[in-house]
Amino acid sequence: MNAQDGISVRRAKESDLSDIARVNAAVFLGHKSEEESAQEWAKCLFRAFPIYQYFVATGAGGGVAGYIGWQIHGGFLRAEPVVELEQIGVDPAYQGKGCGSALLKESMKEVISWVRARNNRIESHITFIVWVYALNFNALSVYAKDFTDGVTGMRVQYGSRAENMLRMRVPIVMPIRGDA
């Protein structure tokens, strides 16, 4: 998968986990400066394939510039599949350069293709969701560009921080199923 400005997006390999952990430890408080803990976390999620699917963005030099993790909810044969953008992280050196957008758009194409190939029960669309802290206005404005259904839910989780769910439905045209 090719994207703009020398950024390329591909499905993550096990050899990418240390780079995913490096980016995670650099940008998220849960593993702040704790790469070993971040790597253990990433390894667990990587092993959950196909329920959890990682993709990485690489820069012009080939190094990992960021990653995204998608989680499929509720089974593989739902009439309305739901896929959550569980986490996206971009190395600070690549932030503001289109890396996050490339990760989102390019990996989403691959996830759609994967779901379609394994699910002949899709009735009309695949629903993509992302949960964002309600007071993280920067993230809300970034996600609102793609998750065009807007805020469609709210929850309080992980302590007392409210989160908003943004949603996007991607129409899917499937061949008519036979009764056989």
Side-chain angles (χ1 to χ4, degrees):
M1 294 178 272
N2 292 322
Q4 71 266 2
D5 299 324
I7 299 291
S8 180
V9 177
R10 62 172 169 76
R11 190 173 291 281
K13 300 180 276 192
E14 192 164 1
S15 59
D16 296 318
L17 292 178
S18 60
D19 286 320
I20 290 171
R22 173 186 51 77
V23 173
N24 180 285
V27 299
F28 289 106
L29 292 176
H31 294 116
K32 195 70 171 171
S33 303
E34 295 290 336
E35 280 189 46
E36 186 175 322
S37 177
Q39 186 157 356
E40 182 180 1
W41 183 260
K43 189 183 292 185
C44 289
L45 291 172
F46 184 81
R47 288 181 178 160
F49 181 87
I51 291 171
Y52 197 91
Q53 300 188 26
Y54 268 128
F55 294 82
V56 294
T58 57
V64 170
Y67 69 92
I68 191 167
W70 295 99
Q71 184 174 354
I72 298 171
H73 289 286
F76 298 125
L77 297 176
R78 290 178 63 145
E80 182 185 324
V82 176
V83 181
E84 178 181 355
L85 190 173
E86 197 271 331
Q87 190 171 76
I88 184 170
V90 176
D91 185 299
Y94 288 90
Q95 291 178 3
K97 299 178 181 176
C99 183
S101 178
L103 271 166
L104 179 71
K105 289 176 172 60
E106 297 299 319
S107 67
M108 187 179 285
K109 291 176 193 175
E110 287 294 308
V111 171
I112 290 168
S113 177
W114 190 93
V115 170
R116 284 188 66 158
R118 284 152 187 84
N119 185 347
N120 67 348
R121 297 182 184 177
I122 300 172
E123 292 179 351
S124 63
H125 61 275
I126 298 173
T127 298
F128 286 86
I129 63 169
V130 63
W131 288 96
V132 183
Y133 288 125
L135 297 178
N136 188 342
F137 301 116
N138 183 47
L140 282 166
S141 68
V142 168
Y143 290 130
K145 294 173 188 169
D146 293 295
F147 289 80
T148 53
D149 288 355
V151 174
T152 58
M154 187 189 161
R155 70 182 180 191
V156 176
Q157 190 170 339
Y158 307 125
S160 60
R161 295 175 75 174
E163 295 179 301
N164 292 324
M165 182 184 76
L166 283 80
R167 181 180 71 191
M168 160 184 24
R169 292 187 213 161
V170 177
I172 301 294
V173 177
M174 298 291 285
I176 296 174
R177 300 190 297 258
D179 291 330

